Amino acid sequence: MTCVRIGAIVLLSATAAFAQNGRPQQDVEPAGKTSAATFDFTASAGLEYIFGSDINDGGDFELLRGTVGISGTTALTENLDMTLLADYEFAEYDWNGETGLGSREPWDSVHTIGFGALLTLRPYNEWAIFGGPILRFSGESDADFGESFTAGGLVGASYQVSDELLLGAGVGGMTQIEDKVRWFPVIVLDWEFLNDVRLTSRTAASTVGRTGLEIVYDVSREWEVAIGGAREKRRFRLDDGGDFPGGVGEDVGWPVWARLSYQPNPNLELTLYGGVIADGNFGVDDDGGHQLSYKDYDPAGLIGFTANLRF
């Protein structure tokens, strides 16, 4: 029962988990009822393909991204829960032609590993106070592991206004590879403004959930459809043997999507989604964080599938 990711895989994992509090789930055990020795786990896996898109004044690229993650939640006391999270993302970039970034292949395979912990305190039935640390490693296959590390955390609170409305806010911060600390707002929202239609910060169009907003229509107990959008920024260390030894790659965009989700039972959710990445751009910095090149790319179509299993 938590919220979490922006700029970090683990952060998104936590954001997605927290936002689920706002959606009633008939078979979820109430807070405080779980034994402190018992963990409720959620495992996630997904695959996403970004179709070929032209880079301005350059060639084009394609991208295949896969992600797996697991989280576990336990009750430390009657009013205090702890969630532990870990995820791994693999991204394979395929470049064609001159990219305009100073190299025909500025980077290839990027690996991201994230860890996090989130404490959620419920001093009263309607209130929840949450916070915790985030650790992240992101770089090419042969990048210096010690130079690919970032860390941060978040803190915030939420209030269950009514059965139809959950509101919350907070703030988070995250170091970035060869860049200043990034501060960001944390938004918790689940508002059923029409019968079976809600606006929520729990986004399901990725393996671990994207930090953004969705409008969701519950077609039935098993099916839901949604449209949503988010902003994503990834920075990662480049390897020492490439065209930019020890440099930094950056991939930024605004994905928007439509999805169809199927929940045959309370413990399994399957999602198929498609959309487009708008206002996307790539950047390359040297090993001191000084920008070497920057290129926009045309809107890129995307399609993906995810599965989430609770046990």
Side-chain angles (χ1 to χ4, degrees):
M1 292 183 141
T2 19
C3 146
V4 206
R5 169 177 177 184
I6 187 168
I9 292 181
V10 172
L11 179 57
L12 278 177
S13 305
T15 307
F18 185 81
Q20 285 182 321
N21 286 343
R23 183 181 180 188
Q25 299 195 22
Q26 299 175 11
D27 298 292
V28 176
E29 195 170 7
K33 299 292 186 177
T34 303
S35 167
T38 301
F39 272 87
D40 294 327
F41 290 98
T42 299
S44 304
L47 193 65
E48 181 174 276
Y49 177 67
I50 311 298
F51 294 92
S53 179
D54 292 333
I55 303 169
N56 290 2
D57 302 320
D60 60 78
F61 80 99
E62 300 175 42
L63 171 59
L64 181 66
R65 180 180 291 130
T67 315
V68 292
I70 189 166
S71 66
T73 299
T74 188
L76 300 179
T77 69
E78 183 177 355
N79 298 317
L80 181 64
D81 290 349
M82 178 180 68
T83 299
L84 302 177
L85 311 111
D87 0 73
Y88 165 72
E89 179 183 278
F90 171 78
E92 179 71 28
Y93 290 79
D94 184 16
W95 310 90
N96 295 291
E98 296 293 339
T99 64
L101 293 168
S103 171
R104 292 180 64 91
E105 190 172 312
W107 57 80
D108 47 25
S109 301
V110 177
H111 306 265
T112 302
I113 304 170
F115 303 95
L118 199 71
L119 293 175
T120 304
L121 174 67
R122 297 177 182 82
Y124 305 101
N125 289 337
E126 297 84 4
W127 283 97
I129 301 170
F130 59 90
I134 304 156
L135 302 177
R136 181 179 183 242
F137 302 84
S138 188
E140 282 193 278
S141 300
D142 296 324
D144 187 323
F145 187 77
E147 297 294 326
S148 306
F149 169 78
T150 57
L154 59 84
V155 65
S158 69
Y159 181 69
Q160 189 77 49
V161 180
S162 66
D163 290 342
E164 293 77 28
L165 179 60
L166 172 72
L167 286 175
V171 64
M174 195 78 185
T175 62
Q176 299 186 89
I177 299 175
E178 304 299 345
D179 203 353
K180 60 184 179 182
V181 174
R182 183 183 182 191
W183 297 96
F184 51 87
V186 176
I187 299 173
V188 180
L189 172 64
D190 203 277
W191 176 32
E192 187 175 1
F193 58 93
L194 293 174
N195 189 34
D196 295 326
V197 182
R198 53 196 167 85
L199 177 65
T200 179
S201 58
R202 175 188 177 261
T203 60
S206 75
T207 304
V208 293
R210 281 191 161 109
T211 302
L213 292 173
E214 281 190 338
I215 296 177
V216 182
Y217 172 51
D218 293 315
V219 180
S220 67
R221 182 181 176 87
E222 294 84 13
W223 293 91
E224 67 180 24
V225 295
I227 56 174
R231 182 180 186 270
E232 292 185 332
K233 179 180 180 180
R234 291 173 169 86
R235 282 180 68 85
F236 39 88
R237 182 69 67 180
L238 303 180
D239 67 39
D240 293 328
D243 294 329
F244 313 101
V248 183
E250 185 172 278
D251 184 353
V252 180
W254 289 82
V256 292
W257 62 84
R259 69 170 171 88
L260 174 67
S261 295
Y262 175 57
Q263 192 172 10
N265 61 66
N267 297 321
L268 177 64
E269 184 177 50
L270 306 174
T271 295
L272 178 66
Y273 64 95
V276 63
I277 298 178
D279 195 28
N281 58 77
F282 295 122
V284 176
D285 296 353
D286 65 17
D287 58 2
H290 305 101
Q291 189 174 85
L292 300 176
S293 57
Y294 174 94
K295 283 292 180 180
D296 295 328
Y297 60 83
D298 292 344
L302 65 88
I303 189 170
F305 174 80
T306 70
N308 293 278
L309 176 65
R310 291 176 37 229
F311 56 96

